[in-house]
Amino acid sequence: MLSRVAESLFWMARYIERAENVSRFIAVNMHLTLDLASDAIQQWDPLIATTGDQTIFYHKYGKSTQDNAIQFLIFDEDNANSIKSCLIKARENARGVRDVLTTEIWEQINHLYLSITSETAPLEAAQNVFQYCKKLRLETQLVKGLVDNTISRTEAWHYLYLGRMLERAEKTVRILDVKYYILLPKVEHVGTPIDNIQWAAVLMSASALDMYHRQYRRFLPSSVAHFLLFNRDFPRSVLYCLTKSESSLCAISNTPIGTYSNEAERQLGRLRAQLEYADINDIIQNGLHEFIRDLISNLNEIGNTIQDHFFSSQSLPTSSLKEIYA
């Protein structure tokens, strides 16, 4: 497979996953502002922090009001991580690899592009931003459903899945970090109804509330952190995303699971093993924020190494891929 094709597939998946995550964050935050009316203004600061784009936001808008945050996160093309910017770039990447995608995938991505760039989109969002974000989230999930159900498990699918899983892992980590250090600045709030509402919002941001309740009865910081970081079965936990990323990366290069043949596989396998044997109590005692900061740094390093190793050459080795996923 040409590196250009692989790169387009990888980034197409990342942009769509990113757009879905941002739409989910906004919808959850709308709920949170209703539950915590007196703190409504402050609740937009953590949301901006989740995206990692605080600097450009405050430089351009100054104040984190609801209107400013929604414009920045959904429609601002100066924000490279806004939903509109992500969907425009996802379509650009998809257009370059149309012969690899199925007709249904291309049509759905094109539909998303036309929807977010239409003149009526800002008005529709202003009328009911919660419903608008819900619609975007479902539309992006439809793309991923088409990818999983209409593409053979060849290299193309593995590049798409790799991009999706790495993007999801980073967003889950950022969600957890925002709650721990920004959303609850007062120690006296720990264990109060406000604290529970905010932990619920964190889990909802990762679509993890229902699955968390099936495993735990109370909102404890250690339990929430353990679930989002280390759960082996939940599809948005960091460990799950890294495990699946490693499987796809090894499938692409035809490397047995548990070994490595390039630097990206080594870094990914090492980070996955680190999480598998980590203890949440030790992490909290030593500093969850510091652990998350290192985790984000490692994820960025893995992304850069994949970019250098797999997308810099003119062509990639074509392997006889194993059917890893049932």
Side-chain angles (χ1 to χ4, degrees):
M1 176 179 288
L2 292 175
S3 61
R4 175 188 58 80
V5 175
E7 184 175 15
S8 294
L9 292 169
F10 177 82
W11 281 105
M12 186 196 92
R14 290 201 72 152
Y15 287 132
I16 290 175
E17 181 70 24
R18 192 173 302 175
E20 186 208 327
N21 277 286
V22 174
S23 67
R24 184 186 299 106
F25 297 162
I26 296 172
V28 171
N29 209 62
M30 293 300 296
H31 274 303
L32 197 58
T33 56
L34 294 176
D35 291 332
L36 303 171
S38 61
D39 296 323
I41 294 176
Q42 297 177 7
Q43 298 312 315
W44 293 101
D45 289 318
L47 185 63
I48 301 298
T50 303
T51 67
D53 297 314
Q54 305 97 309
T55 302
I56 184 174
F57 174 81
Y58 292 112
H59 176 73
K60 184 170 184 178
Y61 294 91
K63 191 175 182 180
S64 58
T65 64
Q66 176 174 315
D67 290 342
N68 288 344
I70 289 173
Q71 172 63 26
F72 178 72
L73 295 172
I74 298 181
F75 296 111
D76 194 335
E77 293 187 53
D78 291 334
N79 174 15
N81 295 314
S82 72
I83 295 175
K84 186 175 183 178
S85 295
C86 288
L87 294 180
I88 288 174
K89 286 182 284 192
R91 182 178 179 270
E92 290 174 355
N93 282 282
R95 184 169 57 181
V97 292
R98 282 187 60 179
D99 56 332
V100 178
L101 303 174
T102 62
T103 302
E104 291 94 334
I105 295 172
W106 167 249
E107 288 178 347
Q108 180 58 26
I109 292 175
N110 210 35
H111 170 75
L112 268 169
Y113 168 80
L114 294 174
S115 176
I116 197 74
T117 57
S118 73
E119 294 183 356
T120 59
L123 177 60
E124 185 181 354
Q127 290 173 339
N128 191 328
V129 69
F130 178 80
Q131 287 298 327
Y132 186 74
C133 288
K134 181 180 180 181
K135 185 185 77 169
L136 288 175
R137 187 173 71 253
L138 294 176
E139 295 278 0
T140 54
Q141 289 174 340
L142 181 54
V143 175
K144 292 186 283 187
L146 289 169
V147 167
D148 286 341
N149 289 284
T150 65
I151 290 187
S152 300
R153 297 312 194 251
T154 58
E155 281 178 302
W157 184 85
H158 283 290
Y159 276 114
L160 288 164
Y161 197 63
L162 175 63
R164 185 199 307 174
M165 288 294 103
L166 285 179
E167 181 69 27
R168 185 177 293 177
E170 182 193 346
K171 287 294 177 287
T172 299
V173 172
R174 288 186 180 278
I175 289 171
L176 191 57
D177 195 34
V178 164
K179 163 58 185 173
Y180 199 80
Y181 265 85
I182 301 177
L183 206 53
L184 188 67
K186 299 179 181 178
V187 176
E188 59 267 27
H189 285 172
V190 174
T192 65
I194 294 176
D195 191 30
N196 291 338
I197 289 172
Q198 292 178 340
W199 279 120
V202 169
L203 291 165
M204 288 171 64
S205 297
S207 294
L209 183 59
D210 292 331
M211 292 299 104
Y212 176 84
H213 273 312
R214 292 186 183 183
Q215 188 166 341
Y216 301 96
R217 293 185 178 180
R218 297 175 55 199
F219 290 117
L220 297 175
S222 58
S223 299
V224 175
H226 185 274
F227 187 79
L228 292 179
L229 288 173
F230 305 136
N231 191 283
R232 296 175 183 273
D233 302 315
F234 182 62
R236 291 187 177 278
S237 82
V238 178
L239 178 57
Y240 182 96
C241 293
L242 293 183
T243 301
K244 297 303 180 183
S245 296
E246 185 183 14
S247 296
S248 278
L249 200 58
C250 289
I252 289 168
S253 58
N254 200 22
T255 303
I257 299 295
T259 64
Y260 66 89
S261 61
N262 56 69
E263 179 62 16
E265 291 170 355
R266 190 189 69 81
Q267 292 177 359
L268 191 50
R270 184 180 60 183
L271 186 59
R272 186 260 309 153
Q274 179 186 344
L275 265 63
E276 282 185 327
Y277 294 100
D279 183 272
I280 192 62
N281 294 320
D282 291 341
I283 291 172
I284 290 178
Q285 184 175 4
N286 294 327
L288 179 61
H289 176 69
E290 287 73 18
F291 178 82
I292 287 176
R293 181 192 59 198
D294 293 341
L295 194 51
I296 292 174
S297 177
N298 286 327
L299 288 170
N300 290 335
E301 185 178 356
I302 290 169
N304 292 334
T305 304
I306 289 173
Q307 185 76 31
D308 293 339
H309 182 81
F310 289 88
F311 306 145
S312 296
S313 58
Q314 288 300 310
S315 62
L316 298 172
T318 301
S319 60
S320 56
L321 294 172
K322 300 175 292 183
E323 290 293 342
I324 291 181
Y325 302 94

